[in-house]
């Protein structure tokens, strides 16, 4: 919204800074952080009163988790609230990519909110029907990916880019929305599965957001895109502002989510943020790079898939408990050890993902 001030730069040259994506991304980061930081305590108190017993804790999990009873959930409302305020304030609202990303984020957040609501009110781990939830997520993702395809440059709009191969685009045609919708849905649910320990999900989300904020900026800039031999997507640079807002909101939330957590992110936040990362990756033509940068989320999701698949066919478990972060807790790692070591893995994977930019 503030970008309109740049229209007066002829009279007041200092206002020209509002044209710069980097300046507005920084402003979005600071704004989101301040919104979450200052309104967080009131939000936590309100959610604690409304939820009473808070999020139900799995009795079959590590016994140390039983001490978390009574901790409120739906902390994603704080994150999404800060993200929306910052993006609407600092983003270029004439850019359709911004609205597509916000649409997916809010829609997925609403699905997660309903799931959290059912879990809290019923005090059960069985929330929203899995099939109904996935159907809704897929429908939203299909619409968003179709929109992205309409906005992209004709030469690459319906193609799937490959890391390390600068010219190769796999033409998908009308199948593009369907294939890329799986990326968005997969990202949303993978982040959701990762959110199981205090601070575990939010830091990798911020790392991925920082990485894709950088990628968005480079992709949207014709000069940088040409130098790095990546596909130029006009308008995608504005998504750096959205990613900046994610980082700021994430830092603010981490203040309250650091062990021992005062509030849990819940499906409200994890689904919304995962969907955001997925659609940003689709918009910037870096879908496969997301699987690298968000490799921790992929590992968490695969651990659940493998565990369920093998158990149904053999009656045996591959992991002591899934998702895999609980497996390491069962092995004797403390919660901070699991969280910090997984953060380190996320940083390494982000660096590997960034290395694909020049190697294409």
């Amino acid at each position: 919204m503030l970008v309109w001030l740049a229209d007066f730069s002829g009279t007041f040259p200092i206002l020209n800074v509002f044209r710069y994506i980097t300046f507005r991304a920084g402003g979005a980061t600071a704004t989101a952080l301040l919104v979450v930081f200052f309104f967080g305590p009131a939000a936590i108190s309100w959610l604690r009163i409304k939820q009473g017993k808070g999020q139900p804790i799995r009795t079959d999990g590590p016994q140390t988790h039983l001490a978390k009873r009574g901790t409120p959930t739906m902390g994603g409302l704080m994150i999404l609230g800060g993200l929306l305020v910052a993006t609407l304030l600092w983003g270029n609202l004439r850019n359709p990519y911004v609205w597509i990303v916000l649409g997916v984020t809010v829609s997925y957040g609403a699905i997660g909110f309903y799931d959290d609501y059912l879990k809290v009110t019923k005090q059960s781990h069985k929330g929203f029907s899995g099939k109904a939830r996935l159907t809704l997520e897929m429908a939203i993702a299909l619409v968003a990916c179709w929109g992205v395809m309409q906005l992209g440059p004709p030469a690459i709009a319906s193609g799937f880019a490959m890391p390390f191969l600068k010219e190769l685009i796999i033409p998908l045609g009308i199948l593009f929305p369907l294939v890329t919708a799986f990326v968005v849905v997969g990202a949303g649910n993978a982040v959701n599965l990762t959110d199981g320990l205090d601070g575990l999900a939010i830091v990798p989300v911020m790392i991925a957001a920082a990485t894709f904020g950088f990628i968005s900026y480079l992709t949207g800039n014709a000069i940088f895109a040409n130098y790095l031999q990546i596909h130029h997507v006009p308008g995608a640079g504005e998504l750096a502002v959205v990613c900046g807002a994610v980082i700021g909101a994430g830092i603010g939330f981490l203040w309250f989510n650091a062990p021992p957590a005062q509030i849990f992110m819940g499906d409200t936040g994890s689904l919304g943020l995962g969907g955001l990362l997925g659609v940003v990756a689709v918009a910037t033509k870096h879908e496969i790079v997301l699987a690298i940068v968000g490799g921790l989320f992929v590992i968490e999701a695969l651990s659940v898939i493998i565990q369920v698949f093998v158990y149904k066919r053999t009656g045996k478990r591959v992991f002591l408990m899934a998702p895999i972060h609980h497996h390491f807790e069962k092995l004797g790692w403390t919660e901070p050890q699991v969280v910090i070591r997984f953060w380190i893995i996320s940083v390494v994977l982000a660096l590997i993902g960034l290395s694909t930019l020049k190697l294409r």
Side-chain angles (χ1 to χ4, degrees), residues 196-208:
L197 301 178
D198 298 348
L200 177 59
I202 191 60
V203 171
V205 164
M206 287 191 288
I207 292 170

Side-chain angles (χ1 to χ4, degrees), residues 11 31 48 54 56 74 79 111 119 161 230 233 273 285 331 335 353:
T11 305
T31 300
R48 182 177 288 112
M74 298 184 187
I79 304 172
I111 294 172
K119 290 176 181 177
I230 59 179
V233 182
L273 293 173
K285 313 304 294 183
L331 286 177
E335 184 169 339

Side-chain angles (χ1 to χ4, degrees), residues 139-180:
I140 293 165
L142 281 169
V143 173
C145 293
W146 179 85
V148 168
M149 185 176 71
Q150 301 308 307
L151 294 172
I156 62 173
S158 60
F160 204 79
M162 300 295 291
F164 306 108
L165 302 171
K166 62 179 182 178
E167 300 296 338
L168 181 61
I169 283 281
I170 300 176
L172 298 176
I174 60 173
L175 293 178
F176 177 83
L178 180 62
V179 174
T180 51

Side-chain angles (χ1 to χ4, degrees), residues 20-51:
Y20 303 147
I21 290 174
T22 48
F23 176 77
R24 290 186 287 109
T29 302
T31 300
L33 189 158
L34 292 174
V35 168
V36 176
F37 188 79
F38 285 112
F39 290 97
I44 293 171
S45 297
W46 182 78
L47 287 169
R48 182 177 288 112
I49 292 171
K50 290 294 182 180
Q51 294 178 13

Side-chain angles (χ1 to χ4, degrees), residues 299-300 303-304 319 321-329 338 342:
I299 293 169
E300 293 274 11
S303 70
V304 174
F319 305 102
M321 187 176 179
I324 198 169
H325 54 260
H326 291 316
H327 171 78
F328 288 106
E329 282 191 291
V338 176
F342 277 34

Side-chain angles (χ1 to χ4, degrees), residues 170-324:
I170 300 176
L172 298 176
I174 60 173
L175 293 178
F176 177 83
L178 180 62
V179 174
T180 51
F182 279 103
V183 174
V184 179
V185 173
N189 286 280
V191 174
N192 180 231
L193 290 170
T194 305
D195 182 33
L197 301 178
D198 298 348
L200 177 59
I202 191 60
V203 171
V205 164
M206 287 191 288
I207 292 170
T211 304
F212 271 90
F214 186 55
I215 290 174
S216 298
Y217 179 75
L218 297 176
T219 302
N221 187 297
I223 297 174
F224 289 144
N226 180 62
Y227 173 73
L228 293 170
Q229 301 176 26
I230 59 179
H231 300 290
H232 173 50
V233 182
E238 196 64 29
L239 295 178
V241 178
V242 181
C243 291
V246 173
I247 296 168
I251 294 172
F253 178 73
L254 183 60
W255 182 269
F256 305 105
N257 187 236
Q262 296 174 250
I263 189 167
F264 298 140
M265 183 190 302
D267 292 8
T268 307
S270 57
L271 265 184
L273 293 173
L276 181 151
L277 292 174
V279 76
V280 168
V282 172
T284 57
K285 313 304 294 183
H286 281 75
E287 300 92 344
I288 295 179
V289 173
L290 176 62
I292 301 172
V293 173
L296 178 64
F297 305 133
V298 174
I299 293 169
E300 293 274 11
L302 284 176
S303 70
V304 174
I305 294 170
I306 293 169
Q307 184 87 320
V308 172
F309 179 83
V310 173
Y311 185 76
K312 282 186 175 181
R313 282 155 180 77
T314 68
K316 298 180 180 179
R317 290 180 171 84
V318 177
F319 305 102
L320 296 177
M321 187 176 179
I324 198 169

